[in-house]
Amino acid sequence: MSKFALALTQSQKASHLSPPNPAVGCVLIAPSGKLIAQGHTQAAGGPHAEVMALRDARARGETTEGATAYVTLEPCSHYGRTPPCCNALIEAKIAKVVIALLDPNPLVSGKGVKLLQKAGIEVEVLQNDHPQALAAKELMIGFFSRMMRKTPWVRLKIAASLDGKTALSNGQSQWITSGEARDDGHAWRARAGAILTGVGTVLADDPRLDVRAVPTQRQPNVVIVDSALRIPLSAKIFTINNIATQAVNTQARRIFIYTKSDDLAKRIALENQGATVIVLPDSKSFDTSGKVDLTAMMHDLAKREINELHVEAGATLNGALISAGLVDEFLIYLAPKLLGGNDANGRGMANFAPLADLTHSLPLDFVSVAKVGPDVRLLARVTGRDAF
C-alpha cells in the first residue's frame, strides 16, 4: 500500500470523529522506508493527525529525526483549538513533509508550507488533480465547501422504490429499502456535521435523527426547518442526548430550528428544551413569503461550523432545496420493487415546479453506483459543483 493510501485510511477513520475539523490522516516513514507511525485527527479540541502520528512514534519507541511525513492536508500554522502542527513537526526534526492538499482556511492556506520551509524542512505538495489529492478532498469536501463557498456541502438522501416512490399514498414508508441500506445511510449520517429535515417529517414520523447503526463518538447536530414553529416539545429529537445505546457513545449535539414565526412563548419553550431558534429572514427583512430563507440558512450553518449537511426530508423540502440550487449531491437508495401511484400526493422524491424544456433540467454526474444488500445506492453530484 502506498504511503498516501495509508494516510487516506487514517483520514477515513477521522471522518466520523473530527467535524467541524477536517478529516486528516498522517503517516511517518523513516529514511529506511519503514512505517514508524500513523495517526488521524481527533474530536474538536483534541490533537490533529500530525500530533497523533508523532505520539504513535514515541509509543513505538521510534525516532522521528529525518523521517518523512505524508499528510492529507497542509499542517496548521496557527493557534486554534490546539497549537500549530507545524511546530510539532519542526520540533520532531522531520526532514520532509508531503502534502496532498493546501488548507483552504485563510488562517493557514500556504502559511504552513512557508513555516516548514523556513525551518529547513523539504515540502512537496501534490497537484490538485493527483488521484491522492482528489481522494483526500472527497473526505474533506464539506470543510472545503465551508471555507471556500461559505456554505456546507449539502447531500440529499432519499430511499425510494425503483419507480421513484418514497411512500405509499397512505403515507406508509417503513420500510421500502433494506436493513443493509438503512445501516449504510447511518454511516453517511455519522460523517455529517448536521442532519436536516422539515417539521412535516417530525410531525409524521417523530424521528430520532441520530446515528445508531454504526459506532460513533459524536452525534451529528440536528437542523429543523419549521416556518410556523409547529414542532411539539415532546419530539424525540429533544430526548436523544439523554439516551445511551450499545451502538453509540453519545455526545451532546445541538438542535437548530429555523423559523419565520414570531411566537416568543414557543421559542422560549423550545430553547428550554435545548434548541437554538433562528428567525430567517430576520425581522428587518421585507420578505413576506412566510417561509424560511433557505439560502440564508446555509450561510448561517456555515458560520456555526457545519461542514456537511445530510438531508433526510420530505418531497416538499427536498423540492425547495433543489429549486434554490442548494443541493450538491444526491444519495439515493433504490429498492427492487414498484409501488405505483402518482406523485400528486407528495410521495415522490421531490416536489418542484415542472420544467418547460429539457434543457432546464439539473445536470448530474454519477459518482458511484453500488449494491447495498438487495438495493442499489447511487451517488450523483450536480455537474461542476465540486469545482472549488
Side-chain angles (χ1 to χ4, degrees):
M1 185 179 288
S2 72
K3 282 82 172 179
F4 257 117
L6 292 170
L8 286 168
T9 297
Q10 289 296 312
S11 180
Q12 289 172 340
K13 292 181 179 180
S15 63
H16 292 183
L17 179 64
S18 64
N21 290 332
V24 181
C26 176
V27 297
L28 302 180
I29 306 297
S32 65
K34 175 186 176 183
L35 171 68
I36 59 173
Q38 50 193 335
H40 59 78
T41 300
Q42 301 298 296
H48 291 184
E50 299 90 334
V51 172
M52 291 300 294
L54 293 172
R55 289 182 182 180
D56 185 41
R58 288 195 294 271
R60 299 185 189 201
E62 300 282 0
T63 179
T64 57
E65 184 172 357
T68 297
Y70 291 82
V71 60
T72 58
L73 187 69
E74 179 183 9
C76 62
S77 56
H78 69 293
Y79 283 87
R81 293 184 177 95
T82 61
C85 293
C86 284
N87 292 2
L89 293 171
I90 293 168
E91 292 170 5
K93 298 182 180 180
I94 297 295
K96 182 177 180 179
V97 178
V98 184
I99 300 168
L101 295 162
L102 294 178
D103 195 326
N105 186 343
L107 294 174
V108 181
S109 193
K111 297 174 185 175
V113 169
K114 291 179 180 178
L115 187 60
L116 292 170
Q117 290 174 330
K118 185 177 179 180
I121 295 175
E122 181 184 354
V123 178
E124 178 184 346
V125 181
L126 301 185
Q127 295 295 320
N128 287 338
D129 59 355
H130 190 286
Q132 306 288 19
L134 293 173
K137 185 178 177 182
E138 283 297 313
L139 290 167
M140 297 179 278
I141 197 163
F143 179 74
F144 273 74
S145 176
R146 177 165 68 89
M147 288 294 155
M148 302 182 74
R149 303 190 307 177
K150 310 304 180 187
T151 58
W153 180 260
V154 180
R155 181 180 298 110
L156 197 159
K157 181 254 184 181
I158 297 171
S161 62
L162 191 59
D163 53 346
K165 302 302 185 296
T166 59
L168 300 179
S169 59
N170 62 10
Q172 183 182 355
S173 62
Q174 298 181 349
W175 298 102
I176 292 175
T177 52
S178 65
E180 293 93 331
R182 295 195 295 277
D183 289 353
D184 190 74
H186 276 242
W188 287 90
R189 280 185 179 184
R191 63 175 277 172
I195 302 170
L196 168 70
T197 197
V199 68
T201 297
V202 176
L203 293 173
D205 300 333
D206 196 17
R208 291 166 58 168
L209 295 179
D210 61 342
V211 177
R212 301 183 301 279
V214 297
T216 183
Q217 297 180 41
R218 177 195 63 89
Q219 286 291 337
N221 298 310
V222 172
V223 181
I224 309 293
V225 177
D226 185 4
S227 297
L229 286 185
R230 295 186 293 148
I231 188 170
L233 299 176
S234 59
K236 287 180 182 176
I237 61 166
F238 296 123
T239 61
I240 186 58
N241 284 349
N242 299 319
I243 295 174
T245 70
Q246 290 183 336
V248 297
N249 175 19
T250 57
Q251 292 182 358
R253 62 180 185 174
R254 300 187 67 185
I255 299 169
F256 303 109
I257 300 176
Y258 288 87
T259 187
K260 276 292 299 289
S261 173
D262 57 2
D263 186 339
L264 183 59
K266 184 65 176 287
R267 286 178 58 185
I268 292 172
L270 290 168
E271 288 168 354
N272 287 338
Q273 289 283 75
T276 299
V277 181
I278 305 109
V279 180
L280 284 178
D282 59 31
S283 57
K284 298 177 183 179
S285 172
F286 293 103
D287 184 280
T288 59
S289 67
K291 298 180 180 179
V292 171
D293 185 331
L294 297 176
T295 300
M297 179 184 74
M298 294 301 175
H299 287 283
D300 187 72
L301 286 170
K303 292 176 182 177
R304 298 176 191 273
E305 297 189 304
I306 302 300
N307 293 336
E308 289 188 14
L309 185 64
H310 181 88
V311 182
E312 295 194 21
T316 299
L317 182 53
N318 286 351
L321 291 167
I322 294 169
S323 296
L326 298 174
V327 178
D328 295 306
E329 66 184 9
F330 296 83
L331 178 67
I332 301 176
Y333 296 89
L334 292 178
K337 58 185 70 168
L338 303 176
L339 299 186
N342 58 61
D343 292 339
N345 52 22
R347 307 304 182 187
M349 293 185 181
N351 289 347
F352 53 91
L355 303 178
D357 193 288
L358 280 175
T359 59
H360 299 158
S361 62
L362 182 65
L364 304 174
D365 297 317
F366 285 121
V367 176
S368 66
V369 180
K371 192 87 177 292
V372 180
D375 306 314
V376 172
R377 183 190 67 204
L378 304 173
L379 187 63
R381 183 167 296 172
V382 176
T383 301
R385 190 57 63 89
D386 57 354
F388 52 78

